[in-house]
Amino acid sequence: MATLLDGKKLSQKICAALKSKIAKIERLKDKKPGLAVVLVGDHSASQIYVAKKEKTAREFGFYSEVHRLPAASEEKEILNLIKYLNESPKIHGILVQLPLPAHIQTQAILNAVSPLKDVDGFHPLNLGRLFIGDPLFIPCTPQGVMELLKEYRIEISGKSAVVIGRSLIVGKPLAHLLLGQNATVTICHSKTKNLEEVCQTADILISAMGKPHFIKNSFVKEGAVVVDVGINRFHHKIVGDVDFENVQKKASFITPVPGGVGPMTIALLLQNTFKSFERSAS
Ligand code: GUN
């Protein structure tokens, strides 16, 4: 039976450490790190994610602002808000919740966020810095996956890592982080042929495809480390991409859903915001 990669526990540890650092700084300097979240429209999953980010930020001592804009907002209004947040001394991290409504050019919005406050790491400058191996802000979900692997002392160097998904949010940055730690990385996507056979070669298998219970036992090599980034609604429950019940019997380590990668994303968002705050003060 696989050992659980407990993201809930590790995220609590990271957030508790941040909370005590913030309390200390606040006592000395009467300042605290601030996070602004921009939510446009009424995408139902985004509402839940944003509420969770706000609640967690407050719980651990951060100043938090959520800006909710109507779905019909014009690009210019969002750009004006971002400009204001870029200049606000109370704000050290800005996150624009994705997806944005279809009439908005997502990349134009992401490009407008100051790279120095881009705690999601989606600005081209931050993605480029990750690509050359000199990161400033690393996207939170991939960073959370790497922290989980580190916490459980999972060897990466020389291992075969298969990443399913090529998004800018998860797959591409994660592949770079794994490569940076000397894994041999394969990126799979919707056009990949023989996905099952490719997955069978993985020492570390990471799925960010968004298909409930798609990764069956037969995809997994005996003793593989399985990381499930999927969050899918399925028969009124939240499930991952991995058929957890069966795959846990074959894997050496596995993330649960919920309680695996999800809480790590928020912990790393807060950690990035704290780092930005520290940088701004120095
Ligand atoms: N939508 C889904 N995941 C994310 C994320 O990590 N950051 C942002 N901004 N939007 C998301």
Side-chain angles (χ1 to χ4, degrees):
M1 210 61 136
T3 302
L4 282 189
L5 296 168
D6 189 340
K8 194 169 172 192
K9 189 164 123 197
L10 179 54
S11 66
Q12 290 287 332
K13 188 164 118 182
I14 293 170
C15 291
L18 291 172
K19 187 175 184 172
S20 72
K21 284 187 201 168
I22 292 169
K24 213 179 281 175
I25 295 170
E26 213 180 351
R27 248 179 284 134
L28 292 172
K29 299 193 181 164
D30 199 25
K31 274 191 202 165
K32 55 160 99 172
L35 172 67
V37 177
V38 177
L39 173 61
V40 186
D42 34 39
H43 188 270
S44 65
S46 290
Q47 308 271 357
I48 298 168
Y49 295 151
V50 167
K52 182 88 184 145
K53 285 170 188 173
E54 183 181 27
K55 181 169 174 276
T56 313
R58 294 228 166 108
E59 182 182 343
F60 291 99
F62 288 74
Y63 169 70
S64 164
E65 284 178 8
V66 178
H67 296 266
R68 292 181 170 83
L69 302 186
S73 301
E74 284 178 29
E75 208 165 289
K76 189 77 197 134
E77 291 171 63
I78 308 171
L79 291 172
N80 283 342
L81 172 60
I82 290 173
K83 184 164 183 292
Y84 163 77
L85 296 171
N86 281 343
E87 289 164 9
S88 167
K90 282 198 293 196
I91 297 302
H92 306 91
I94 302 170
L95 178 149
V96 180
Q97 187 66 27
L98 302 179
L100 289 168
H103 68 282
I104 304 289
Q105 286 194 53
T106 299
Q107 199 55 55
I109 301 295
L110 297 179
N111 291 357
V113 175
S114 163
L116 297 173
K117 294 190 178 183
D118 172 36
V119 285
D120 246 339
F122 295 162
H123 189 283
L125 190 127
N126 281 318
L127 288 167
R129 286 187 66 155
L130 174 61
F131 186 88
I132 65 167
D134 177 31
L136 182 69
F137 288 113
I138 301 172
C140 307
T141 303
Q143 206 184 341
V145 171
M146 298 307 285
E147 288 296 323
L148 260 182
L149 296 177
K150 187 168 146 205
E151 177 75 6
Y152 287 84
R153 297 189 168 79
I154 289 163
E155 208 185 316
I156 297 172
S157 183
K159 299 293 180 187
S160 152
V162 172
V163 178
I164 313 175
R166 56 178 157 177
S167 71
L168 276 182
I169 298 183
V170 184
K172 278 183 195 163
L174 186 53
H176 276 285
L177 291 169
L178 290 161
L179 186 62
Q181 295 203 18
N182 304 313
T184 302
V185 183
T186 306
I187 307 176
C188 298
H189 46 78
S190 53
K191 301 285 189 294
T192 298
K193 297 212 165 73
N194 311 324
L195 180 65
E196 185 167 347
E197 283 94 276
V198 179
C199 290
Q200 286 162 357
T201 66
D203 300 312
I204 302 171
L205 176 61
I206 303 180
S207 180
M209 68 195 315
K211 289 192 181 172
H213 291 170
F214 188 89
I215 305 297
K216 307 280 184 225
N217 224 358
S218 58
F219 285 59
V220 178
K221 179 158 90 176
E222 192 76 45
V225 175
V226 178
V227 177
D228 192 346
V229 186
I231 298 179
N232 313 291
R233 239 167 262 255
F234 188 60
H235 298 313
H236 306 290
K237 263 176 55 182
I238 298 293
V239 303
D241 293 345
V242 175
D243 175 12
F244 181 88
E245 282 310 311
N246 292 309
V247 171
Q248 67 169 336
K249 295 174 192 151
K250 209 167 179 188
S252 56
F253 291 89
I254 190 166
T255 55
V257 177
V261 177
M264 292 300 294
T265 298
I266 300 189
L268 272 298
L269 170 67
L270 298 183
Q271 185 160 294
N272 280 350
T273 305
F274 183 75
K275 280 186 184 165
S276 177
F277 169 71
E278 276 190 314
R279 244 182 245 132
S280 76
S282 63

